[in-house]
Amino acid sequence: MLERSDLAGNALSALHDEDYDRPYNLQNLNAETLIFTSGRNGRSLDGDWNFCVDLLDTGLRQKWFALAPVASSERTEPWDYDPFDGDTVPVPSCWQMLNERWYFFEGSAWYTRSFSHDLPPEKRLFLRVGAAQYDCKVFLNGQFLGNHYGGSTPFCVELTEAVGSGENWLMLCVNNRRTRDRLPMRNTDWFNYGGVYREVELFETPQTVIRDLFLYLHDDGIHVEATIDGPATEAHLAIPGLGLTATLDLSKGRARTVLQAHPDLWSPESPVLYDVTLSAGGDSVSDKVGFRRIERRGTSILLNGQPIFLRGISVHEDDELQGKLTSEEDIRRRFAHARELGCNFLRLAHYPHHEMAARIADEMGLMLWEEIPVYWAIDFANPATRHDAENQLSELIRRDRNRASVIIWSVGNENPDTDERLDFMKGLADRARAEDPSRLTSAACLINHHDLVIEDRLAAYIDVIGINEYYGWYEENFSDLEAVGANSHPDRPVVISETGADADHIAGPDTGLFSLAYQADYYRRQIEILRKLDYVKGMTPWILYDFRVERRQGIYQRGFNRKGLIAADKKTRKPAFDILAAYYAERAEKP
Ligand code: GCU
């Protein structure tokens, strides 16, 4: 019906234009357009938004975003959908968890809400979306402002020129379709939630806006890097706890300096955080930063110069009722369970988790492995995919690189050892180091099962070799793991980034595959073998909680991966939990 409207140009073009989305895929909202938001007072736009699913992208074809908000009684054309009227959903949320009809929906969905904001002429206004899975196109008052690719990293868009003095209409078109060229691509072992599932905020700033602030401890002191956008020519840094103040000269909006200081070092035993403030041109931000060193020497991992063993567990960001929506309570429960397991370390698989996770880990003294979803058979030969991966990595690192808890950036998981993949992921490891020279790089690699040896060409380009091995589950013989252990002579630390077995505590058999007894025995035998490998400096068994996944519909899985040591109810423990806890208690005494 809207084809009659001049909004869609020629009436039939809306029906016949299969290149309709090209103008809305600029990917111009990216790591370079982020602003630093720690310590700012944002205005929340969370709450009820108008919502509709749009499987065939009718909204982009007919340009719903350009429609004027008038009462339905004043409409002069019949509608396929009226963005200003209809159902609402809470933001943040995952649409799959809100309505049975949307459980397996993959496609576009429209979020619409109004807001008023009287922006003083000397101010700037930014929108920040904590995460929207996967492609998020932003329209304000009918104007397309840009789009962001990547389902787990924040993005910002400047609204200064588009915001009006009265009622403003904001529309987000979010598309979670899995495609061959996206990151992750169309085949993953976790549920493809969709939606605006992290917080949405507005930030008002002066003409000068602090876009980035990064501090890290190195041999020669505390390195400070700041990026400022606007007329200011200097910035002022303060770390009161160290009695430090410094004026940073800005050259082309950037400042770098090294401050002589000997801070109390952050560690799991002593998670010391320092208040840091930075101001420039009337703008100001703050953060709580822990200072520590993480290095590798030979096959050892050193925290503040001391060798450590990473007693870890892998976790997804998943909840049987909320989907990928998390909360401070959910994260603190996850970390408390990890602590009860005896962990000092967690692998936040397979994508950037909510930024609260690293902040809470900073406070609690837990170390983290953070990762971008370069997962399985990525389209490694595709330049657009590589650009997407590089941007998601930069967005993750710039979001979390002031977090002492984060010690490892992982550039992928279980990828085939091809030339294209090697070039792609070596490039990501180099990019991680360029963004942040103060942390270790890794990836979860595969074993050469034919020759029973740890062998992956990427290992030469990362600091820590992650190894996913399932001997005794996917690979039949535990004895083969003994052979791998004996045949492998890595020159750098190895972390067992995954090992585990499913156990269905509800309907599983008493013995054999998918039984609690088998999972417990699996852990006993894995630990018996791994504890003898002195180049193994940590492990993050798969996984703390059972989690939702479409591809597992067996009678013992029923839409969930049941390798959890705790069931998806985040209460019911399985016997294997205590077996791993006993080993970690031992390793805590003798790292
Ligand atoms: C793989 C993969 C995980 C997956 C796990 C499993 O190693 O990295 O994402 O869930 O195996 O099969 O349970």
Side-chain angles (χ1 to χ4, degrees):
M1 296 4 173
L2 277 174
E3 288 75 19
R4 280 193 281 129
S5 161
D6 62 8
L7 288 176
N10 169 285
L12 290 183
S13 69
L15 292 177
H16 298 161
D17 174 10
E18 281 313 303
D19 208 21
Y20 64 89
D21 59 343
R22 183 184 302 278
Y24 310 109
N25 193 18
L26 306 178
Q27 294 175 50
N28 58 323
L29 308 181
N30 51 47
E32 300 313 315
T33 53
L34 285 168
I35 69 170
F36 192 83
T37 54
S38 178
R40 291 185 190 277
N41 293 319
R43 174 187 165 194
S44 173
L45 292 184
D46 293 350
D48 287 344
W49 289 52
N50 293 354
F51 176 83
C52 92
V53 291
D54 178 17
L55 185 65
L56 305 182
D57 272 337
T58 307
L60 289 177
R61 298 170 188 275
Q62 295 180 348
K63 299 184 174 58
W64 289 344
F65 51 86
L67 297 175
V70 296
S72 52
S73 55
E74 295 171 37
R75 294 294 178 197
T76 56
E77 291 186 86
W79 297 104
D80 295 327
Y81 172 66
D82 180 344
F84 310 102
D85 191 2
D87 292 340
T88 62
V89 298
V91 167
S93 61
C94 303
W95 63 63
Q96 289 86 349
M97 310 316 292
L98 302 178
N99 184 318
E100 274 291 315
R101 288 183 295 135
W102 303 332
Y103 188 73
F104 285 116
F105 178 77
E106 292 196 8
S108 292
W110 289 81
Y111 294 81
T112 304
R113 67 156 287 167
S114 68
F115 69 90
S116 299
H117 193 103
D118 289 331
L119 184 66
E122 73 281 3
K123 297 281 188 170
R124 298 168 73 173
L125 188 65
F126 292 87
L127 175 78
R128 184 183 194 261
V129 176
Q133 173 71 21
Y134 181 89
D135 170 12
C136 184
K137 304 179 193 297
V138 182
F139 303 88
L140 184 67
N141 300 327
Q143 184 182 348
F144 173 60
L145 298 180
N147 79 304
H148 175 264
Y149 256 35
S152 303
T153 43
F155 61 93
C156 296
V157 49
E158 184 156 7
L159 305 183
T160 310
E161 300 308 319
V163 70
S165 54
E167 187 177 54
N168 294 279
W169 283 94
L170 178 62
M171 291 190 189
L172 304 179
C173 177
V174 180
N175 179 295
N176 78 322
R177 193 170 293 123
R178 293 187 226 213
T179 60
R180 175 80 181 83
D181 61 344
R182 283 183 172 180
L183 208 91
M185 54 89 172
R186 60 193 173 194
N187 183 31
T188 64
D189 195 40
W190 71 88
F191 197 84
N192 180 38
Y193 296 106
V196 181
Y197 68 95
R198 291 183 191 154
E199 293 72 22
V200 181
E201 294 178 275
L202 288 173
F203 292 96
E204 191 176 286
T205 76
Q207 285 304 307
T208 290
V209 59
I210 297 168
R211 284 202 180 270
D212 197 15
L213 172 62
F214 176 30
L215 300 98
Y216 64 93
L217 183 63
H218 209 51
D219 295 335
D220 52 352
I222 293 177
H223 287 233
V224 182
E225 297 176 9
T227 304
I228 314 284
D229 169 358
T233 57
E234 63 181 29
H236 302 279
L237 181 90
I239 311 178
L242 293 175
L244 276 180
T245 58
T247 299
L248 314 180
D249 292 329
L250 296 171
S251 152
K252 297 191 183 68
R254 292 185 184 273
R256 282 173 180 255
T257 191
V258 180
L259 304 175
Q260 298 312 308
H262 300 285
D264 292 340
L265 299 179
W266 184 94
S267 71
E269 298 72 27
S270 171
V272 178
L273 300 175
Y274 287 89
D275 288 322
V276 179
T277 60
L278 182 77
S279 57
D283 195 23
S284 67
V285 295
S286 63
D287 208 345
K288 289 185 178 304
V289 181
F291 298 103
R292 52 107 190 91
R293 300 295 307 281
I294 190 77
E295 305 156 276
R296 72 167 171 96
R297 203 169 295 151
T299 61
S300 292
I301 297 174
L302 305 178
L303 175 69
N304 301 326
Q306 298 303 313
I308 54 172
F309 183 84
L310 300 174
R311 308 187 307 274
I313 191 73
S314 290
V315 289
H316 260 304
E317 193 170 60
D318 185 85
D319 186 84
E320 63 177 348
L321 301 176
Q322 301 284 344
K324 211 169 181 306
L325 175 67
T326 189
S327 62
E328 180 170 352
E329 179 198 3
D330 184 41
I331 294 169
R332 288 191 183 278
R333 171 178 49 197
R334 190 173 300 147
F335 287 177
H337 278 142
R339 264 278 158 75
E340 287 172 48
L341 200 50
C343 295
N344 61 1
F345 180 61
L346 290 100
R347 179 187 178 199
L348 305 190
H350 283 296
Y351 38 74
H353 287 213
H354 196 292
E355 56 210 294
M356 278 189 284
R359 287 192 177 280
I360 293 169
D362 272 10
E363 288 168 30
M364 292 179 67
L366 287 166
M367 294 176 283
L368 300 177
W369 157 311
E370 294 198 339
E371 183 165 300
I372 57 168
V374 177
Y375 183 92
W376 289 353
I378 291 295
D379 193 0
F380 289 112
N382 185 334
T385 305
R386 183 163 189 159
H387 173 73
D388 187 357
E390 289 171 349
N391 180 61
Q392 288 192 44
L393 180 63
S394 290
E395 287 176 340
L396 166 62
I397 292 176
R398 294 184 195 178
R399 187 194 74 177
D400 284 0
R401 59 186 176 181
N402 283 343
R403 306 278 72 80
S405 52
V406 180
I407 59 169
I408 289 175
W409 302 119
S410 165
V411 295
N413 180 81
E414 285 198 354
N415 314 98
D417 188 354
T418 64
D419 292 348
E420 292 83 3
R421 170 267 191 169
L422 181 60
D423 185 55
F424 187 106
M425 293 180 72
K426 175 184 175 307
L428 290 175
D430 292 345
R431 189 179 186 94
R433 281 190 201 92
E435 291 273 1
D436 172 12
S438 72
R439 286 178 175 83
L440 301 174
T441 57
S442 187
C445 302
L446 291 167
I447 282 175
N448 174 338
H449 292 293
H450 179 266
D451 299 335
L452 295 181
V453 64
I454 292 175
E455 190 177 69
D456 183 318
R457 288 181 291 166
L458 181 64
Y461 301 101
I462 51 182
D463 296 305
V464 174
I465 307 170
I467 289 293
N468 290 4
E469 56 85 4
Y470 285 88
Y471 286 95
W473 185 252
Y474 295 122
E475 287 81 30
E476 193 176 351
N477 304 316
F478 276 103
S479 57
D480 285 349
L481 180 58
E482 303 245 35
V484 170
N487 296 342
S488 302
H489 305 285
D491 65 352
R492 58 201 67 197
V494 168
V495 166
I496 303 298
S497 38
E498 284 185 35
T499 189
D502 283 74
D504 176 9
H505 73 295
I506 299 168
D510 294 337
T511 60
L513 297 179
F514 295 99
S515 67
L516 295 172
Y518 190 98
Q519 185 191 48
D521 187 51
Y522 176 95
Y523 269 80
R524 279 190 206 93
R525 298 181 68 178
Q526 278 278 338
I527 290 168
E528 186 185 329
I529 296 167
L530 294 175
R531 66 185 309 146
K532 293 182 279 190
L533 304 179
D534 63 1
Y535 53 74
V536 171
K537 298 301 184 188
M539 49 196 287
T540 49
W542 194 257
I543 189 167
L544 182 60
Y545 300 132
D546 293 350
F547 62 93
R548 179 176 279 107
V549 59
E550 300 93 334
R551 59 193 286 274
R552 295 174 180 268
Q553 297 299 330
I555 57 170
Y556 300 129
Q557 293 179 306
R558 304 181 300 281
F560 279 76
N561 180 314
R562 298 195 188 270
K563 293 188 182 68
L565 296 177
I566 298 177
D569 64 7
K570 298 182 177 175
K571 291 191 188 77
T572 309
R573 292 183 196 198
K574 305 176 188 177
F577 181 101
D578 293 337
I579 292 164
L580 183 62
Y583 175 53
Y584 280 173
E586 197 191 306
R587 287 302 306 235
E589 295 308 313
K590 185 176 56 61

